[in-house]
Amino acid sequence: MVYSMEFKYEVVKDPTVYQINRLPAYSDHVYYKDKEDLTSEQTSYRLSLNGTWLFSYADNIDAAIPGFESMDYDCHDWDEIQVPGHMQLQGYDVPHYVNTMYPWDGHELIQPGEIPTIFNPVGSYVTYVTLPPAVEGEVSIWQGHPVFLSFQGVESAFALWVNGHFVGYSEDSFTPAEFDITEYMTESINKIAVQVYKWSSGSWLEDQDFWRFSGIFRDVVLYTIPDVHIRDLTVKTRLSQAYQHADIEVAWDIAPASKSTAASLTLQLYDATQAELYSTTCPIMSGQASIPLECPMLWSSESPYLYTLLLSLYDEQGVLLEMIPQVVGCREFCLMDGLLCLNGKRIVFHGVNRHDFNQYRGRSVTKEDMLWDVKTMKQNNINAVRTSHYPNETYFYELCDRYGLYMIAEANLETHGTWQKSGQVVIDEHTIPNDRPEWKACVLDRASSLLERDKNHPAILIWSCGNESCGGINIYEMSRLFKTRDDTRPVHYEGVCHDRRYNETSDMESQMYLSVASIEAYLETHRDKPFICCEYAHAMGNSTGAMFKYTDLTRREPLYQGGFLWDFIDQSLANTDCYGQPFPAYGGDYGDQPTDRNFCVNGIVFGNRTLSPKMAEVKYNYRTISIDIHDTTITLTNYSLFTNTSAYDCIVTLEKEGVLCEKTTLATDVVPLSFGIYHIPEAWLTPIVAGEYTITASLRLREDTLWAEAGHEVSFGQSTFVSLPATRETSSWKAPQLIDSDANIGVRGEHFHAIFSKAQGGLVSYRYDGRQLLSDTPRPNFWRAPTDNDYGNGMPLRYAQWKLASLYTTAHLTNVAQTDHSIILLFLHTFPTTPEYQCNLQYEVYGDGKIEITMTYPGSKDACEMPEFGMLLQMPGEYATQLWYGLGPEENYCDRNLGCKLGLYKASVKDSVTPYVIPQECGNHTGIRYLKVVNPQGHGLLVTGDQINGSVLPYTPHELEQAKHLYELPPIHHSVIRISKMQMGVGGDDTWGALTHKEYLIPGTKPIRFCFTIQGI
């Protein structure tokens, strides 16, 4: 189909045609008219076309309006759409989430390069533009100068017309596409028409694990240039071996060259205080200059020092034409002695993978989103980010420069579905790009577009050839392109682990989701490259268990240099249910089929940009200064490369059972890559009052930074000890009264009355001061609502016997005994499992109303591991607040509790449900000494134990398990208390088979005994 004389729709499905008339890529520097312009939000040379455009939607090209781009076609009665934005989030088409499979799979049978014909949404955009008029008394800077149109991101392909003339075509959704439209523009109203195609041949190269959107989703800018203009700028820093001298190499390309011979360029270098350090003027035609710098301040994540290079371009009469402020970070990143080193020191990546994402706007993110992301990363000890799996918004790179985040900058390339099928690697004639010549130019273009735009960002340490696209000559050529054009950065590519034909494609060994044991085993025999995990610790749902094993490995194995957690933010979209209530949506919630459902929500940040409880563990594991408290000393081990601990305040506190007793500040002075030992005040170690004491050392920012205020904690350590009284107090309560009736046994004291049913086999009533505290009979519990990791490794199938045991039990009274101070009742519980399991529950009731519950299980040689070993109690819903002395405040588990502190905490029962998009196990706390569940007047139930596990939620594990969205959970009627000796760990190496680590499982073959107490308050 021909859409105008110059454009044929057939190019959309031709992999050899990825652009028509698109301008060559260049650096993302910004130029200004003068110093006044330099301080303005919008430069004089640029005009934003963001805002409301006219819009027409069609399901495919045959349904699109023909000739809409012509001047004769009036589009003013069309719908309106916001640019930037996705059409799928503005009422046209629907979002579609898939991971590996291509979104047309099952709808149409097409081969790589071909595109769907039945359903391939087309969006036609139109806006009308008038060039800015001249300011009174001045000549318009637009008059007589070329005019260009820049699209920063359009998914996945588009054609452009201006005033009815075909201008050009472009693919690659995530790098700028710019066109010279000078010859088509008029001084009156101009019609700009764009047609966006959801699927193109380029879509085969964009099989990332994300929502499939389309549209003009990044900025659109109209711009002009002065008579002489620096089109492209390259800045490199060369450092001497001792890092005491730097040469800042500057190179530029100019346009138009015909007017440039007499022009001159002044280069001025300023430090971070804006003091001028160097100035020189050279002919513009020289094309390059070198600026010497003695004793340079080096750029790093720890200290992201930036110089400013100001380039001022003048014409032959000395008239200022443009000014370019370019930040410069002096740093050297390279392989030294087989290790990745920054400024001569071995680096460790404490990284995350990050998508551009906003729950309302999809991948059309705002500056506020990006700033929040960067600050949050810095506040939680994250020092690196991989731009998975495409170039992000330019502003994000600027923030990483300024705030200090190391970057792996990744090209827009992923062809996962062409070579990995049903989890198996299948390299065949459909695998792309592989060695297929028709795909070579377009993948090299994507590498070039990335490099040219982003080459001047000091934050970028590594170029990446893309993600999960297998191997072959084409990706090897991408690597060569990076190395040829930039000799200051190494190249990363993970896919060579699936295809070793071109192993030298990557300068580092990079693999995904290997266990620590597997990494160690690999490095035993492969010592030729440093190793990073470009993805690890899959943070889907309730996860990141045993993450510390990876960070510990970086400290004992030099070749393992860290990794990038998957991933930063949940890709959940804000949606509303049938009652108009908001909820976080995942794949399938829009009728988008086929789908990989909730596999898009793997973040340590929820989609609404609130922190997940997992973040506390990430922050702890990613600390660069560890604090260990032993007996009388505090040891600080400084793993930082460039920062002394004297930059922080070390606040040390002594607490008695969560209540502050003493506080002091330690003056520390531990240089990088060393340790220091400091003494705890002697008087703290021998307290007079009996109880449990906690010493906490907290390292906090001494001064405000860009990313946090003074006092922000970067690391902590804790230790506890118990000071016992000389003599123990004896109870003054009288023994309770035993009432042995036909059906029930009552136990009565001064403030309470408990009733045990002989027929129902348990505690059916517990009243304290006249209040009924239990709404159901306590029962043994061995189950948790499966997590995403549990489903991924088949836990519900393996451990289904324990769900059966938790739902159904028969119990009968086997013994009643009376002592001088208590009544003891023993019940035998039998479960309908195969083989049959049993456990005993003993209730010992004291005169003050305290009930000690002991649960014993003899073990069974045929039993599998159990998810939990404990009890489930229910209280009326009015008891809606929990207070506990244990680890918190975030939920935590036996394999994910290092980032939590022992202390006193309070939370509402309702808010204790962690908002994972699919309800699952949540809200647990380890190390509990006591737990109170109370009503607004402070009355309720007290649970005590010896560092037990516990949670208080409005739902049982079975109710959580049944719901697939938060809105499917039932109305709240109860507060459900789960108290356990232990719950199995949550795991998190991956979510498609990795088991919880063995040491965090509960063996069903061994005897287990668990004791705790309940009492009314």
Side-chain angles (χ1 to χ4, degrees), residues 197 634 949:
Y197 313 103
I634 300 173
N949 282 247

PDB file of all heavy atoms in Angstrom, residues 197 634 949:
ATOM      1  N   TYR A 197       3.078   2.825  14.082  1.00  0.00           N
ATOM      2  CA  TYR A 197       2.718   1.429  13.873  1.00  0.00           C
ATOM      3  C   TYR A 197       3.149   0.627  15.106  1.00  0.00           C
ATOM      4  O   TYR A 197       4.322   0.666  15.490  1.00  0.00           O
ATOM      5  CB  TYR A 197       3.400   0.895  12.612  1.00  0.00           C
ATOM      6  CG  TYR A 197       3.256   1.850  11.455  1.00  0.00           C
ATOM      7  CD1 TYR A 197       4.321   2.659  11.056  1.00  0.00           C
ATOM      8  CD2 TYR A 197       2.031   2.000  10.805  1.00  0.00           C
ATOM      9  CE1 TYR A 197       4.181   3.565  10.017  1.00  0.00           C
ATOM     10  CE2 TYR A 197       1.883   2.910   9.765  1.00  0.00           C
ATOM     11  CZ  TYR A 197       2.956   3.686   9.386  1.00  0.00           C
ATOM     12  OH  TYR A 197       2.796   4.606   8.373  1.00  0.00           O
ATOM     13  N   ILE A 634      32.982  -2.644  69.176  1.00  0.00           N
ATOM     14  CA  ILE A 634      32.273  -2.405  67.918  1.00  0.00           C
ATOM     15  C   ILE A 634      33.321  -2.345  66.815  1.00  0.00           C
ATOM     16  O   ILE A 634      34.255  -1.534  66.882  1.00  0.00           O
ATOM     17  CB  ILE A 634      31.482  -1.086  67.960  1.00  0.00           C
ATOM     18  CG1 ILE A 634      30.444  -1.115  69.084  1.00  0.00           C
ATOM     19  CG2 ILE A 634      30.808  -0.820  66.612  1.00  0.00           C
ATOM     20  CD1 ILE A 634      29.746   0.218  69.295  1.00  0.00           C
ATOM     21  N   ASN A 949       8.127 -16.559  65.715  1.00  0.00           N
ATOM     22  CA  ASN A 949       7.612 -15.895  64.527  1.00  0.00           C
ATOM     23  C   ASN A 949       6.152 -15.544  64.757  1.00  0.00           C
ATOM     24  O   ASN A 949       5.436 -16.269  65.467  1.00  0.00           O
ATOM     25  CB  ASN A 949       7.678 -16.815  63.309  1.00  0.00           C
ATOM     26  CG  ASN A 949       9.064 -16.927  62.721  1.00  0.00           C
ATOM     27  OD1 ASN A 949       9.308 -16.480  61.614  1.00  0.00           O
ATOM     28  ND2 ASN A 949       9.992 -17.518  63.447  1.00  0.00           N
TER      29      ASN A 949
END
